[in-house]
C-alpha cells in the first residue's frame, strides 16, 4: 500500500500501527528491567531503553515529515522508493537474462532469454505482484529504519546527519543484511 500504486490512507494507518506497537513495546520494558537479576543488568537495560526511546522519537519524526510536510515531493519520493522495492522484489527471483547472438555468415540475430521456465518475456503487472501474500511487504525493522532516517535525508542541517545507524541482521540463510 505504501507505493504510488497503493492506497495511501491505508499505508498511513499501517505506519501508525507500527509506531504504536513499537511504543507499547518500549513502554513495557520497565517492568522487564525490574525483573533482571543484578543491578549491572538493570543499568545496562535502562541505557538500552533510553536508546529505544531515541529511536522511537526519530521514527515519529520521520512519520511527521511524511504526513505533515507541505512538500508533496517527500511523500511522492517515499512512495516511489516503495515501488522500487516491490519492483526489485519481483525481479530478484527471475532467471538471469542473457542476450545470445547467433551469427550466420554476414547476418546476426540477437535473442533475449526468457525470464522464467514458461518462456515469458515480460513480468506480471507490479500491482498484481504486490497484491500476493508476502509480496511487496516490509519487515518492521526495515520500515522503521527508513522512517528514522528521513529527517537526515531531507533536512541538510539536521543534527541527525551526525548519527551513523548500522543494522546488521544475520538471516540464518546465508544472506546477511546490513543497512
Amino acid at each position: 500500500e505504501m507505493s504510488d500504486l497503493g492506497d495511501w490512507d491505508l499505508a498511513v494507518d499501517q505506519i501508525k500501527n507500527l509506531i504504536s506497537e513499537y511504543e507499547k513495546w518500549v513502554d513495557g520494558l520497565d517492568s522487564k528491567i525490574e525483573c533482571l537479576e543484578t543491578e549491572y543488568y538493570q543499568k545496562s537495560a535502562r541505557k538500552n531503553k533510553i536508546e529505544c526511546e531515541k529511536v522511537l522519537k526519530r521514527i515519529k519524526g520521520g512519520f511527521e515529515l511524511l504526513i505533515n510536510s507541505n512538500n508533496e515531493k517527500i511523500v511522492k519520493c517515499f512512495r516511489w522508493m516503495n515501488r522500487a522495492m516491490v519492483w526489485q522484489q519481483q525481479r530478484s527471483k527471475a532467471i538471469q537474462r542473457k542476450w545470445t547472438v547467433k551469427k550466420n555468415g554476414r547476418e546476426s540475430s540477437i535473442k533475449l532469454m526468457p525470464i522464467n521456465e514458461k518462456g515469458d518475456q515480460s513480468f506480471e503487472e507490479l500491482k498484481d505482484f504486490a497484491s500476493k501474500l508476502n509480496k511487496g511487504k516490509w519487515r518492521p525493522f526495515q520500515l522503521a529504519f527508513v522512517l528514522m532516517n528521513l529527517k537526515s535525508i531531507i533536512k541538510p542541517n539536521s543534527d541527525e546527519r551526525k548519527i551513523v545507524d548500522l543494522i546488521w541482521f544475520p538471516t540464518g540463510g546465508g544472506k546477511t543484511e546490513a543497512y
Side-chain angles (χ1 to χ4, degrees), residues 58-102:
R58 289 175 62 203
I59 292 169
K60 285 180 175 182
F63 180 64
E64 290 299 317
L65 277 173
L66 275 177
I67 61 167
N68 291 329
S69 174
N70 292 330
N71 186 345
E72 64 186 43
K73 290 180 183 178
I74 294 171
V75 172
K76 188 181 284 187
C77 289
F78 180 82
R79 296 189 80 190
W80 283 346
M81 174 205 61
N82 280 283
R83 177 185 256 208
M85 289 300 292
V86 174
W87 187 85
Q88 178 278 335
Q89 228 181 38
Q90 179 189 47
R91 282 149 174 81
S92 68
K93 303 299 180 198
I95 296 171
Q96 183 178 1
R97 299 176 83 181
K98 297 178 183 177
W99 293 94
T100 58
V101 179
K102 295 182 180 181

Side-chain angles (χ1 to χ4, degrees), residues 51 55 58 145 148-149 152 160 162-168 178-179:
E51 293 303 313
V55 166
R58 289 175 62 203
F145 186 78
M148 70 186 247
N149 284 291
S152 64
E160 291 182 13
K162 297 174 187 171
I163 300 170
V164 176
D165 294 301
L166 174 65
I167 298 176
W168 177 74
Y179 298 89

Side-chain angles (χ1 to χ4, degrees), residues 150-164:
L150 275 180
K151 184 177 178 183
S152 64
I153 293 168
I154 294 167
K155 298 187 178 271
N157 297 325
S158 169
D159 286 340
E160 291 182 13
R161 286 191 172 215
K162 297 174 187 171
I163 300 170
V164 176

Side-chain angles (χ1 to χ4, degrees), residues 91-125:
R91 282 149 174 81
S92 68
K93 303 299 180 198
I95 296 171
Q96 183 178 1
R97 299 176 83 181
K98 297 178 183 177
W99 293 94
T100 58
V101 179
K102 295 182 180 181
K103 293 184 180 180
N104 184 10
R106 299 174 86 193
E107 295 180 35
S108 66
S109 64
I110 299 174
K111 179 181 177 188
L112 183 61
M113 302 301 291
I115 60 170
N116 60 30
E117 293 84 15
K118 293 187 269 180
D120 294 336
Q121 287 292 347
S122 60
F123 291 94
E124 69 183 305
E125 291 293 321

